[in-house]
Amino acid sequence: MLDLSRFQASGRETCFHGRHIAPQIYAGLDGSNWRLADYVARGGYAALKKVLGADGGAGMTPEQVVAEVKASALRGRGGAGFPTGLKWSFMPRNFPGAKYLVCNSDEGEPGTCKDRDILRYNPHIVIEGMAIAAYAMGAASGYNYIHGEIFEVYERFQQALQEARDAGLLGQDILGRGFSFQLHAHHGFGAYICGEETALLESIEGKKGQPRFKPPFPASFGLYGKPTTINNTETFAAVPWIIREGGQAYLEVGKPNNGGTKIYSVVGDVERPGNYEIPMGTPFAKLLELAGGVRGGRALKAVIPGGSSAPVLPASVMMGCTMDYDSIAKAGSMLGSGAVIVMDDTRCMVRSLLRLDYFYMHESCGQCTPCREGTGWLWRIVDRIEHGQGRPEDLALLDSVAENIKGRTICALGEAAAMPVHGMLKHFRDEFAHHIEHKTCLVGAHARDASLPPEGVGIPSGGPAQGRSLAGAAK
């Protein structure tokens, strides 16, 4: 049995370390003050009261709320970085039936651990953000879909929901202003694929969590076939500050087209791994400094800047980047979920890619042939390169297989599996060639057979297509 206790971090290690810069979501948290009374003491629900006119003011129209969010340049914090206000404007205003709001808390991207801390230590900021969003889009019901492997977080969120209901902040006629919104928690069962928005909707409906064809898009045909807007946990958590302080103020915290703060999960070879909330546009070098620098004083070799599906960047490129969507994209990768995986000079890129390829092979839901067969093919090629059986033609074959997966699947899991391959071969092709030619690794022998999954995890004998029915997709 694999002992996971050494991987369990407390909130003090992950987000109460005092090394944030101008935090908005983590501001004032200590791990114990997550209750409603604590949140109200920090100014909580003032934004909802402002919107509804329950603070003695004139209130805001739904159109004014959307306009404020647009002005803030808030972009989706789950991975895609799509402008939030623009997404909200897609919800049909005069639709005669039910409309739904969904929070994607199915945090499964390797390296990412930010959303669970928000829900665990500041759940009411998400509830308030969702209530404001529901008002802006005319949704009367909402769901927060929480990753199944953090069940204690689901239970904490349920407690916070009950506190909000008891205080008249959720339910019928909220604060006596004629606005009604019901919010429910829904837990998944750990399938990475359910982070893809349409697979998430299928799961809420009680079906197998597999992505839908698009179009139609959720804004017109979403949950139970009704118009639906889906945003990430951190995205909703940013909304109360925007409404209280103004969209322009939020924009000025970050940089043009990249407003506000962002929480980055800094993991890997650093002295102080954890979650760091900093303004968008902060230099990567500053973020690395906050995390204590590279562990043991070793040299920085590479960084995966946005979770496992983002292409890797070498140290020379990453040190010149700022932490925002545009800078990372210009460098040839993506900000993604904000999981910053730091790799020092002891890391073998072949073995690292092997581990990533195993993950995507294991998490493919098997619905699309290019992904179902291609992810396993990628893993098998890298496995033989890692173990001294590589062929000279394997590098071209890896490029070809990855390229033929991209754009040929229903969801983005195909791209998520292909982009790490392209990134590794673009920047570290010499390491792969050395493995093939010399049957050895440039950074020394490995302590464990990298072709195997973690201890206690078996590889299905039938291959990736017969793994498990619910699996992975890009977030």
Side-chain angles (χ1 to χ4, degrees):
M1 184 70 177
L2 180 62
D3 179 15
L4 297 176
S5 61
R6 66 190 179 95
F7 298 110
Q8 303 301 318
S10 69
R12 188 155 303 282
E13 294 170 306
T14 59
C15 62
F16 307 135
H17 41 63
R19 296 189 297 276
H20 307 292
I21 300 176
Q24 298 170 355
I25 296 172
Y26 284 160
L29 302 182
D30 62 14
S32 63
N33 56 352
W34 62 271
R35 294 281 188 180
L36 174 61
D38 301 312
Y39 183 61
V40 171
R42 296 194 299 272
Y45 290 104
L48 180 61
K49 292 177 181 178
K50 177 181 178 180
V51 164
L52 298 180
D55 61 349
M60 298 175 69
T61 66
E63 292 80 8
Q64 288 174 326
V65 174
V66 173
E68 205 68 52
V69 175
K70 283 183 176 180
S72 73
L74 173 64
R75 296 172 64 171
R77 301 303 199 226
F82 193 82
T84 302
L86 181 61
K87 190 174 190 178
W88 288 11
S89 70
F90 293 159
M91 181 74 91
R93 179 68 57 193
N94 299 315
F95 185 79
K99 293 187 285 188
Y100 292 99
L101 186 68
V102 175
C103 179
N104 186 346
S105 297
D106 190 59
E107 186 175 50
E109 182 76 6
T112 315
C113 51
K114 63 183 178 67
D115 293 341
R116 64 198 67 189
D117 274 2
I118 297 173
L119 294 175
R120 182 185 283 119
Y121 301 120
N122 204 2
H124 283 283
I125 199 170
V126 180
I127 295 171
E128 183 180 16
M130 292 191 70
I132 293 169
Y135 171 81
M137 290 177 274
S141 298
Y143 294 86
N144 186 7
Y145 188 98
I146 300 173
H147 194 69
E149 293 166 337
I150 49 172
F151 194 75
E152 74 282 359
V153 174
Y154 167 81
E155 293 178 314
R156 168 71 58 88
F157 193 74
Q158 286 278 39
Q159 290 178 278
L161 283 177
Q162 192 56 53
E163 286 184 323
R165 293 184 188 114
D166 293 344
L169 297 165
L170 286 176
Q172 297 296 316
D173 193 23
I174 294 173
L175 298 174
R177 309 303 294 180
F179 166 61
S180 300
F181 177 59
Q182 302 287 352
L183 180 57
H184 312 279
H186 185 103
H187 73 83
F189 288 88
Y192 177 64
I193 192 72
C194 289
E196 195 279 332
E197 60 181 14
T198 60
L200 183 153
L201 298 179
E202 291 285 288
S203 180
I204 292 177
E205 292 180 7
K207 304 170 187 174
K208 180 187 288 189
Q210 290 187 322
R212 300 173 180 174
F213 283 99
K214 292 184 284 190
F217 293 94
S220 60
F221 190 92
L223 188 64
Y224 305 116
K226 303 299 182 182
T228 303
T229 296
I230 307 159
N231 281 125
N232 169 259
T233 315
E234 186 185 354
T235 309
F236 283 122
V239 171
W241 197 98
I242 293 170
I243 298 301
R244 284 199 316 270
E245 307 297 332
Q248 183 62 32
Y250 187 83
L251 173 61
E252 292 171 357
V253 170
K255 58 183 292 188
N257 201 39
N258 293 268
T261 62
K262 172 87 181 75
I263 300 173
Y264 298 95
S265 300
V266 185
V267 299
D269 299 323
V270 292
E271 291 287 353
R272 298 192 292 245
N275 292 318
Y276 294 83
E277 185 178 0
I278 59 176
M280 295 285 277
T282 300
F284 167 75
K286 180 61 178 179
L287 178 60
L288 184 62
E289 177 189 330
L290 293 173
V294 180
R295 187 161 48 200
R298 301 200 67 94
L300 178 66
K301 181 175 183 176
V303 176
I304 302 175
S308 65
S309 58
V312 67
L313 294 176
S316 59
V317 174
M318 195 66 204
M319 290 302 289
C321 290
T322 56
M323 297 307 296
D324 58 82
Y325 295 99
D326 299 332
S327 177
I328 300 298
K330 185 177 179 180
S333 189
M334 60 184 188
L335 197 64
S337 64
V340 181
I341 304 172
V342 177
M343 308 167 81
D344 68 19
D345 58 359
T346 67
R347 296 293 174 179
C348 169
M349 295 294 106
V350 179
R351 191 178 192 222
S352 298
L353 180 59
L354 180 62
R355 192 62 189 88
L356 295 176
D357 283 346
Y358 176 79
F359 174 80
Y360 289 108
M361 177 189 73
H362 185 270
E363 293 294 337
S364 174
C365 73
Q367 184 174 197
C368 306
T369 301
C371 181
R372 181 183 67 242
E373 302 300 327
T375 52
W377 197 356
L378 291 173
W379 177 77
R380 289 190 294 272
I381 297 169
V382 180
D383 178 65
R384 69 174 177 245
I385 294 173
E386 167 66 5
H387 294 95
Q389 299 173 350
R391 308 163 187 168
E393 64 270 20
D394 278 345
L395 299 187
L397 183 58
L398 277 173
D399 268 328
S400 175
V401 173
E403 190 61 34
N404 280 283
I405 295 173
K406 289 168 60 178
R408 293 172 172 83
T409 56
I410 293 173
C411 80
L413 188 134
E415 278 81 359
M419 286 189 292
V421 174
H422 285 319
M424 289 290 189
L425 292 181
K426 177 181 179 180
H427 297 294
F428 299 99
R429 201 177 193 93
D430 58 331
E431 283 198 35
F432 288 79
H434 187 277
H435 270 260
I436 292 171
E437 182 179 353
H438 299 286
K439 316 301 181 188
T440 59
C441 178
L442 279 171
V443 296
H446 302 314
R448 185 173 178 273
D449 185 351
S451 69
L452 298 176
E455 290 93 338
V457 179
I459 300 175
S461 60
Q466 297 178 23
R468 59 183 185 182
S469 58
L470 302 182
K475 304 296 180 187

